[in-house]
Amino acid sequence: TSDELMELYKYKPLLKGERVVQLMYLFSCFTGLRYSDALRLKWNQCHEKYFDFVTKKTNDLLKIELNNFACKILEICRKEFNPINMP
């Protein structure tokens, strides 16, 4: 339910691995991405309010708008995980 999803969104796991799983699951829920497509998403495909990519299953180019929750998750990932190749 949406209430359960928001409860998970507010939860702060102690372990980094749990945080990664939580954020990936929430991002998939808020964007409608399959797990396999979310794993393949690159930072240069993410724009301010949308991202575009080619799906693995159908090989179609999609442009998906980001809601506020998905944008916040991307911000969290940039701050908490700070990979070297991230803009």
Side-chain angles (χ1 to χ4, degrees):
T1 67
S2 60
D3 290 338
E4 292 170 323
L5 187 62
M6 294 315 297
E7 191 174 320
L8 179 61
Y9 181 78
K10 293 174 185 174
Y11 176 72
K12 302 289 185 206
L14 297 176
L15 300 175
K16 184 177 180 179
E18 290 175 347
R19 182 71 167 156
V20 171
V21 171
Q22 174 199 31
L23 293 172
M24 178 66 94
Y25 178 78
L26 289 169
F27 189 76
S28 292
C29 289
F30 290 128
T31 61
L33 277 180
R34 293 180 197 94
Y35 177 75
S36 60
D37 290 328
L39 284 178
R40 295 176 48 241
L41 190 62
K42 305 291 183 210
W43 284 104
N44 62 357
Q45 295 170 299
C46 297
H47 307 285
E48 189 172 330
K49 289 289 184 182
Y50 72 95
F51 62 89
D52 50 27
F53 71 103
V54 176
T55 63
K56 186 174 183 178
K57 185 176 179 180
T58 62
N59 214 21
D60 293 332
L61 178 63
L62 297 178
K63 178 179 176 179
I64 297 179
E65 291 188 30
L66 296 169
N67 63 25
N68 292 337
F69 296 109
C71 287
K72 182 65 176 171
I73 290 169
L74 290 177
E75 282 179 35
I76 291 168
C77 290
R78 282 191 173 111
K79 289 178 185 173
E80 288 188 20
F81 305 113
N82 195 20
I84 295 170
N85 61 350
M86 220 185 266

